Amino acid sequence: MISNDPIDPMLGNYELVTLRGGVRSIRSVIHGETMHVGTDPRTEALELHVGQQEIVKRALEYRVTQPASPFIIWDIGLGPAANAISAMTALRDASQTRRENGDVEPAPSVEIHSFEISTEVLEFALSHAGALGYLSGWESTVADLLLHGRVEVDPSILWTLHRGDFSRESHEAPSPNAIFHDPYSPTRNPEMWSLETFASEWKVVEDREDRKSGPCILTNYTRSTAVRVTMLLAGWFVGKGVPTGEKTETTIAANRIELLEAPLGGEWLSRVRSSTNASPIRGRNYERGPIAPEDYAKLCKLPQFA
Ligand SMILES: C[S@@+](CC[C@H](N)C(=O)[O-])C[C@H]1O[C@@H](n2cnc3c(N)ncnc32)[C@H](O)[C@@H]1O
């Protein structure tokens, strides 16, 4: 299914791999993980984040309901930028189609805030843009982002890079309407799936001084019970997400339950109690285990299960 590319030399900590169907992706040698496994980077980005979150439709609606505010996307774990580029491409294509159809309204104003601890993988991807496909045509934009930390992709899209450890920073970026939560797996990258990290995202969305939180949706590729329990205890409403690649189910969360098509319900909650991997992830260590009675009691009292 995945083969290491025999013609591509290793460059530092990353290598190109060939996925089923011949498309290329990137493998982190240190983390031992291939990004976007089971499908190609663009398809996963479109299915899991851009399509499931209806980014184009929601950005258009936002332009009408909040004409003075940009629609804000947080892209957590920029990596080789497949999610960010797929979102920007969808937004640009939609603007072009509307213009061709005679729509004279300006395109929705969108800001993409990408967070990344190390841009080494993006630099690797840039030097293999042709092989990776989705990056073709984006080389100079990505180079500008790396150089200046901010790039005006077109008059309606601003892309900003926030360097640093997301799990340790206090977040200065404007409160998001959409979060693409895409670090490595909880086993390899536990601090990015911890109660503290999901609570910090919740705080910036919901616990704002002006109390004017807008709707926000967060998508990610896992269906782990431990991660879902962690997100719920951090304040999020959590539901079943769309399938993508080899995954039959993923996870979607939101700050309002009505944004979820399939919120987790009583049946899921009763299975949590007998799961061997339902303990919320705290701090920087991921220890699999059953949920403690006090955590289960907290879970049962959440508005989602009331
Ligand atoms: C699976 S890759 C992301 C793939 C990417 N979203 C895309 O669309 O191509 C995970 C990324 O998360 C980044 N990451 C891991 N821990 C992080 C942290 N604590 N803060 C910020 N970025 C982190 C990694 O460096 C890596 O680039």
Side-chain angles (χ1 to χ4, degrees):
M1 174 190 62
I2 298 173
S3 63
N4 291 349
D5 190 328
I7 55 162
D8 199 277
M10 295 268 299
L11 181 84
N13 297 320
Y14 300 94
E15 62 183 340
L16 275 190
V17 291
T18 303
L19 305 175
R20 191 170 31 208
V23 286
R24 306 290 183 85
S25 189
I26 297 175
R27 178 171 178 274
S28 162
V29 177
I30 292 177
H31 290 87
E33 284 187 12
T34 298
M35 297 171 199
H36 318 282
V37 68
T39 183
D40 65 283
R42 183 187 282 133
T43 303
E44 183 185 291
L46 289 176
E47 288 178 350
L48 182 58
H49 301 294
V50 183
Q52 180 171 216
Q53 292 219 24
E54 298 186 298
I55 290 293
V56 172
K57 178 168 168 263
R58 287 173 59 220
L60 271 167
E61 287 168 358
Y62 205 70
R63 180 186 66 184
V64 177
T65 57
Q66 307 286 331
S69 311
F71 185 84
I72 307 288
I73 300 173
W74 279 23
D75 165 44
I76 302 174
L78 164 68
N83 295 341
I85 288 176
S86 300
M88 291 186 286
T89 305
L91 288 160
R92 280 210 318 207
D93 289 354
S95 296
Q96 188 169 343
T97 308
R98 279 199 317 280
R99 275 197 306 277
E100 283 165 8
N101 291 340
D103 184 347
V104 290
E105 287 290 314
S109 165
V110 176
E111 287 183 17
I112 304 205
H113 292 265
S114 292
F115 298 84
E116 182 50 66
I117 197 167
S118 161
T119 53
E120 195 187 335
V121 64
L122 186 56
E123 287 153 30
F124 174 85
L126 196 52
S127 63
H128 295 82
L132 285 165
Y134 69 88
L135 262 162
S136 290
W138 285 87
E139 294 89 335
S140 61
T141 306
V142 169
D144 275 358
L145 183 79
L146 284 167
L147 192 61
H148 305 295
R150 175 174 282 221
V151 56
E152 194 182 282
V153 174
D154 72 20
S156 66
I157 304 177
L158 185 65
W159 190 12
T160 303
L161 170 61
H162 303 264
R163 294 174 189 265
D165 182 345
F166 182 87
S167 68
R168 291 187 191 271
E169 316 261 314
S170 58
H171 309 303
E172 304 299 334
S175 181
N177 305 102
I179 302 179
F180 305 158
H181 189 91
D182 196 17
Y184 293 118
S185 68
T187 331
R188 309 278 177 164
N189 210 180
E191 70 279 11
M192 290 296 282
W193 301 90
S194 69
L195 198 51
E196 295 79 1
T197 294
F198 285 125
S200 77
E201 290 172 1
W202 176 255
K203 189 162 184 284
V204 91
V205 168
E206 208 35 39
D207 196 11
R208 295 163 20 143
E209 273 173 22
D210 61 11
R211 307 302 307 156
K212 279 195 206 148
S213 58
C216 179
I217 297 177
L218 180 159
T219 35
N220 65 58
Y221 57 79
T222 184
R223 59 175 296 177
S224 143
T225 303
V227 170
R228 288 174 167 181
V229 166
T230 307
M231 294 171 86
L232 283 158
L233 291 178
W236 293 91
F237 294 96
V238 178
K240 292 179 189 171
V242 294
T244 183
E246 291 168 1
K247 292 175 196 295
T248 53
E249 195 176 302
T250 56
T251 297
I252 181 166
N255 62 339
R256 298 176 188 168
I257 196 157
E258 57 276 15
L259 295 170
L260 301 177
E261 260 179 37
L264 302 174
E267 202 185 309
W268 177 85
L269 186 61
S270 55
R271 284 203 309 270
V272 168
R273 212 199 313 233
S274 54
S275 166
T276 54
N277 181 29
S279 179
I281 302 167
R282 292 188 164 96
R284 305 180 84 78
N285 289 320
Y286 176 26
E287 284 169 27
R288 293 171 68 95
I291 191 164
E294 57 275 24
D295 284 329
Y296 191 70
K298 278 188 211 155
L299 207 57
C300 293
K301 287 198 195 120
L302 292 176
Q304 174 153 352
F305 303 111

